[in-house]
C-alpha cells in the first residue's frame, strides 16, 4: 500500500452569480495517492457535511475523461498538471504531499459562475445550435461505408470530433476565446461529406454566435491546445479561418 | 450579421494582412538603410533622391503605408479591447501549461510592444521625414542631404540608446507576430508551421540586429 497523503485545498467559494466569492483553504488528511482529484473533493465534501457546512459544488459525470462535464483550474492550469487529461483524470499522486492546491472556476464573461467551481457553459450549446449540426433524413440505418471517406480525412475529422466541449480552451486562453471549441466543431463537419450542405452557413453562423456570446478573439497563444484534454490541435483554428474566407468569398 | 470587419476572425485577417505588409516594409526599409554603411554618403542620398523623384506617387505610397498602420493598430486595439471584456475578473493563480503552448513573453506583450512601435514611428517620421532640410549636390544635381541628418541625429547617444531599445521591442513584436500572422490567415501545415514558429525567432533577430547595427555604426564610425 502506498503512503497516505495530505493536501491543502484552496477552493473558490461563491454562493451564486450575484454574490462575490473568495478562497477558503481546507485540509484533507491521510488520503490514498491513487484517489482522483474529484474523489478528493468528495472526501472533503463529506467532511464539510459532517461539520454542518455547505459542500463544495463542482460538475462531474462520467469521471473517466470522456464526457466533458468536469473542469476547473488546478494551480492555474485548466484541468490540472497532467496534460491531455480532464480534471477527473488527475490524481492525488500528481501533487506533492502537504502541497496547497488552488482550485478556481473557469473564468470568462461568457461562462458566468453559478456556484463555487460550477460555471454556466450554455454559451457552447447556443453556438452548436447556431450551426454545429447536419440535416439528414432519418430513415432506416444506412449501410456502413456507403459513403467512402479517405482514411486521412476521416482521421482528421475524428481528431476534431474528439472535442468533449469541456471549455478548458476558453478557460486557459488569455483572451477567453472559444476558437478551439468552435473550430473543432466546424472542422469535424467541414471535412466530412455529410457536412457539405450547410458548410458555408455553418462557419458564418457559429463564428457570429461565438462573438455574440462575448468570447474574446484568438491571438494565437496556442494555450488552448496545451490544456485540451483531447489534445486538439490549433490547426483546426487555421481550418476555421480558411472556411471563413471561403464563406466570405462564396457569399 | 456581425460580419465584416467586426467578426473575431475578420479582425485577425485584417491584423495579419497589415502586419505582413508592415513586415515587408520593415524589410525593405532595413535594406535601404544599409546604404548608410557603404562608406560613401552619396549612395544613401542618391537612393532617397530617387524615391523623392516619385513625386505624387511617393505620397500615395506613404498614405498607403499610413493606412496599413491605422488598420493594423485599429484591429489590434479591437482584439485587445475584446480580451478585456471577455474576462472581466482574472485568475488568482494562472500559468501556461507549457508543452505545445505558444504563449511567450512576446505573445503576451504584443499590445505594449506595438504601442511602443507606434510612439517610435511618430517620433521617427517627425525627425527624419519632416526633419531639418540639408542640401547637397551630387554630380551637379542638388538634393536633400538625409545622410547628414542621420549622422546628426545619431551623434546623440540618447537617440542611439532609444533607437536600440525600440528595435528590441520590434524583435519581440515579430517573434510572435511572424508565425501568428500566417496562422491568422489559416496557413497551417504540419511540417511548415513548426518551422515558421521557430523561424519567427530568426526573423526577429535579423531585423532587430540589422536595425541596431545602423545607429551604433553611425555613432562610432561616422
Ligand atoms: C513596424 C511596425 C509593425 C509591424 C511590422 C507589425 C507586425 C505585426 C504582425 C506580423 C502581427 C501578427 C498578426 C497576427 O497576429 O495575425 C502583429 C500583431 C499585432 N500587432 Fe503589430 N506590427 C507593427 C506595429 C504595430 C503597432 C504600431 C501596434 C500598435 C498597437 C501593433 C499592435 C499589434 C498587436 C496588439 C498585435 C497582436 C494582435 C493579436 O493579439 O491578435 N503593431 N503585428
Ligand atoms: S467527469 Fe466526464 S470528463 Fe470528467
Amino acid at each position: 500500500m502506498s503512503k497516505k497523503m495530505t493536501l491543502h485545498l484552496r477552493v473558490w467559494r461563491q454562493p451564486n452569480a450575484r454574490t462575490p466569492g473568495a478562497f477558503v483553504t481546507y485540509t484533507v488528511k491521510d488520503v490514498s495517492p491513487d484517489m482522483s482529484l474529484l474523489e478528493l473533493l468528495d472526501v472533503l465534501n463529506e467532511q464539510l457535511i459532517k461539520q454542518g457546512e455547505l459542500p463544495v459544488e463542482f460538475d462531474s459525470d462520467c469521471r473517466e475523461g470522456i464526457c466533458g462535464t468536469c473542469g476547473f483550474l488546478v494551480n492555474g492550469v485548466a484541468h490540472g498538471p497532467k496534460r491531455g487529461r480532464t480534471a477527473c483524470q488527475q490524481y492525488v499522486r500528481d501533487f506533492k504531499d502537504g502541497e496547497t492546491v488552488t482550485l478556481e472556476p473557469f473564468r470568462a464573461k461568457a461562462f458566468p459562475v453559478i456556484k463555487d467551481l460550477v460555471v454556466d457553459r450554455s454559451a457552447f450549446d447556443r453556438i452548436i445550435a447556431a450551426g454545429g449540426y447536419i440535416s439528414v433524413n432519418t430513415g432506416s440505418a444506412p449501410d456502413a461505408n456507403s459513403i467512402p471517406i479517405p482514411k486521412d480525412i476521416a482521421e482528421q475529422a475524428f481528431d476534431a470530433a474528439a472535442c468533449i466541449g469541456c471549455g478548458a480552451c476558453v478557460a486557459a486562453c488569455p483572451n477567453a476565446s472559444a476558437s478551439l471549441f468552435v473550430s473543432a466543431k466546424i472542422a469535424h463537419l467541414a471535412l466530412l461529406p455529410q457536412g457539405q450542405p450547410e458548410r458555408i452557413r455553418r462557419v458564418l453562423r457559429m463564428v457570429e454566435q461565438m462573438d455574440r456570446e462575448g468570447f474574446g478573439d484568438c491571438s494565437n497563444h496556442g494555450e488552448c491546445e496545451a490544456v485540451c484534454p483531447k489534445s486538439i490541435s490549433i490547426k483546426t483554428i487555421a481550418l476555421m479561418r480558411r472556411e471563413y474566407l471561403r464563406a466570405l468569398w462564396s457569399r | 450579421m456581425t460580419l465584416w470587419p467586426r467578426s473575431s476572425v475578420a479582425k485577425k485577417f485584417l491584423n495579419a494582412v497589415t502586419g505582413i505588409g508592415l513586415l515587408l516594409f520593415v524589410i525593405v526599409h532595413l535594406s535601404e538603410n544599409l546604404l548608410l554603411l557603404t562608406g560613401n554618403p552619396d549612395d544613401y542620398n542618391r537612393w532617397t533622391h530617387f524615391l523623392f523623384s516619385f513625386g505624387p506617387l511617393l505620397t500615395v505610397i506613404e498614405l498607403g503605408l499610413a493606412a496599413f498602420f491605422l488598420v493594423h493598430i485599429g484591429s489590434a486595439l479591437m482584439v485587445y479591447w475584446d480580451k478585456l471584456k471577455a474576462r472581466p475578473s482574472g485568475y488568482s493563480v494562472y500559468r501556461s501549461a507549457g508543452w505545445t503552448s505558444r504563449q511567450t513573453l512576446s505573445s503576451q506583450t504584443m499590445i505594449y510592444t506595438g504601442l511602443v512601435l507606434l510612439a517610435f514611428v511618430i517620433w521617427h517620421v517627425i525627425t527624419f521625414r519632416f526633419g531639418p532640410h540639408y542640401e547637397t549636390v551630387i554630380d551637379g544635381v542638388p538634393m536633400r542631404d538625409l545622410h547628414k541628418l542621420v549622422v546628426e541625429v545619431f551623434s546623440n547617444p540618447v537617440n542611439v540608446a532609444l533607437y536600440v531599445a525600440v528595435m528590441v521591442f520590434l524583435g519581440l513584436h515579430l517573434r510572435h507576430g511572424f508565425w501568428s500572422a500566417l496562422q491568422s490567415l489559416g496557413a497551417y501545415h504540419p511540417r511548415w508551421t513548426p518551422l515558421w514558429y521557430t523561424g519567427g525567432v530568426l526573423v526577429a533577430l535579423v531585423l532587430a540586429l540589422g536595425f541596431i547595427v545602423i545607429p551604433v555604426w553611425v555613432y562610432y564610425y561616422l
Side-chain angles (χ1 to χ4, degrees):
Chain A
M1 260 232 46
S2 37
K3 202 176 152 286
K4 299 274 187 206
M5 284 173 64
T6 293
L7 286 182
H8 309 287
L9 295 174
R10 181 171 166 263
V11 189
W12 181 260
R13 303 301 311 260
Q14 182 173 344
N16 54 54
R18 285 168 309 283
T19 318
F23 282 99
V24 181
T25 303
Y26 306 99
T27 298
V28 190
K29 283 196 188 112
D30 301 328
V31 289
S32 159
D34 297 325
M35 191 178 262
S36 79
L37 185 57
L38 299 193
E39 285 167 333
L40 183 72
L41 279 172
D42 291 338
V43 172
L44 169 65
N45 279 344
E46 280 170 19
Q47 279 181 28
L48 291 176
I49 291 167
K50 276 192 200 127
Q51 294 162 14
E53 287 179 48
L54 283 176
V56 174
E57 208 79 39
F58 62 93
D59 270 331
S60 80
D61 189 6
C62 71
R63 297 211 175 183
E64 53 186 10
I66 56 170
C67 75
T69 308
C70 63
F72 39 74
L73 262 74
V74 183
N75 285 340
V77 175
H79 285 310
K82 287 283 155 137
R83 66 199 187 202
R85 293 192 198 171
T86 49
C88 61
Q89 294 297 301
Q90 310 283 339
Y91 293 89
V92 170
R93 59 174 178 266
D94 299 330
F95 302 91
K96 286 191 289 290
D97 194 15
E99 186 178 340
T100 298
V101 181
T102 299
L103 306 183
E104 193 167 3
F106 287 175
R107 294 201 190 278
K109 181 168 162 274
F111 283 175
V113 173
I114 295 174
K115 191 172 183 187
D116 299 338
L117 301 174
V118 180
V119 300
D120 177 0
R121 286 168 291 185
S122 58
F124 272 10
D125 301 338
R126 290 187 291 275
I127 294 174
I128 294 295
Y133 52 80
I134 58 167
S135 300
V136 287
N137 294 322
T138 51
S140 51
D143 279 349
N145 296 331
S146 61
I147 306 175
I149 301 168
K151 166 87 172 150
D152 58 326
I153 300 291
E155 292 286 352
Q156 285 181 49
F158 193 75
D159 286 347
C163 170
I164 51 178
C166 63
C169 44
V170 173
C173 175
N175 299 6
S177 165
S179 292
L180 192 64
F181 166 76
V182 176
S183 67
K185 301 302 170 192
I186 289 171
H188 150 212
L189 297 175
L191 287 165
L192 297 177
Q194 294 91 334
Q196 299 313 305
E198 285 111 349
R199 188 168 172 182
I200 306 284
R201 258 187 303 167
R202 178 179 305 116
V203 62
L204 295 176
R205 291 196 180 162
M206 289 181 79
V207 167
E208 188 193 7
Q209 190 62 34
M210 158 169 87
D211 295 347
R212 196 178 284 160
E213 296 291 346
F215 293 104
D217 313 322
C218 170
S219 289
N220 303 324
H221 293 289
E223 194 60 39
C224 48
E225 176 182 311
V227 299
C228 176
K230 302 298 154 186
S231 302
I232 294 173
S233 160
I234 56 170
K235 77 176 180 202
T236 62
I237 299 182
L239 183 143
M240 170 174 75
R241 287 160 169 164
R242 293 198 301 276
E243 287 294 307
Y244 194 90
L245 269 182
R246 228 179 111 101
L248 286 181
W249 204 255
S250 51
R251 237 157 44 100
Chain B
M1 276 203 176
T2 44
L3 257 185
W4 188 265
R6 274 292 321 184
S7 101
S8 53
V9 178
K11 253 176 272 177
K12 288 292 308 205
F13 286 154
L14 291 178
N15 189 252
V17 169
T18 52
I20 289 176
L22 294 177
L23 172 62
L24 292 178
F25 162 71
V26 163
I27 292 171
V28 171
H29 198 49
L30 175 61
S31 331
E32 295 173 320
N33 290 359
L34 288 175
L35 284 173
L36 287 162
L37 310 185
T38 59
N40 180 359
D42 291 355
D43 291 335
Y44 188 68
N45 283 333
R46 272 209 199 89
W47 173 253
T48 54
H49 182 67
F50 170 66
L51 287 184
F52 282 122
S53 72
F54 283 22
L57 182 59
L58 180 64
T59 314
V60 171
I61 296 173
E62 285 174 332
L63 287 178
L65 188 56
F68 264 61
F69 265 105
L70 286 181
V71 173
H72 188 73
I73 296 163
S75 53
L77 287 176
M78 281 201 237
V79 171
Y80 183 65
W81 173 240
D82 285 348
K83 161 202 171 98
L84 294 183
K85 278 195 305 183
R87 181 170 293 132
S89 52
Y91 291 110
S92 94
V93 183
Y94 175 85
R95 61 184 178 84
S96 169
W99 194 28
T100 64
S101 172
R102 282 81 161 176
Q103 202 176 168
T104 54
L105 174 69
S106 161
S107 79
Q108 289 161 343
T109 55
M110 290 301 275
I111 190 71
Y112 308 113
T113 50
L115 288 173
V116 169
L117 288 174
L118 173 62
F120 167 77
V121 164
I122 295 172
W123 173 74
H124 192 68
V125 169
I126 294 175
T127 336
F128 293 109
R129 180 74 176 82
F130 300 108
H133 217 95
Y134 301 121
E135 283 284 329
T136 180
V137 177
I138 300 174
D139 300 335
V141 186
M143 58 182 72
R144 187 170 176 191
D145 192 351
L146 267 169
H147 187 275
K148 182 174 172 189
L149 179 58
V150 171
V151 172
E152 185 184 276
V153 170
F154 291 132
S155 63
N156 181 344
V158 176
N159 286 341
V160 176
L162 271 178
Y163 192 97
V164 168
V166 171
M167 291 309 119
V168 174
F169 286 107
L170 174 69
L172 272 174
H173 201 77
L174 290 177
R175 192 272 164 272
H176 180 70
F178 179 67
W179 98 277
S180 175
L182 295 168
Q183 168 77 3
S184 295
L185 294 174
Y188 188 100
H189 188 276
R191 175 127 21 100
W192 299 116
T193 296
L195 271 182
W196 290 330
Y197 182 67
T198 322
V201 179
L202 203 68
V203 172
L205 275 178
V206 167
L207 286 173
L209 287 177
F211 277 113
I212 285 173
V213 164
I214 294 168
V216 173
W217 185 283
V218 171
Y219 181 73
Y220 283 107
Y221 300 111
L222 298 181

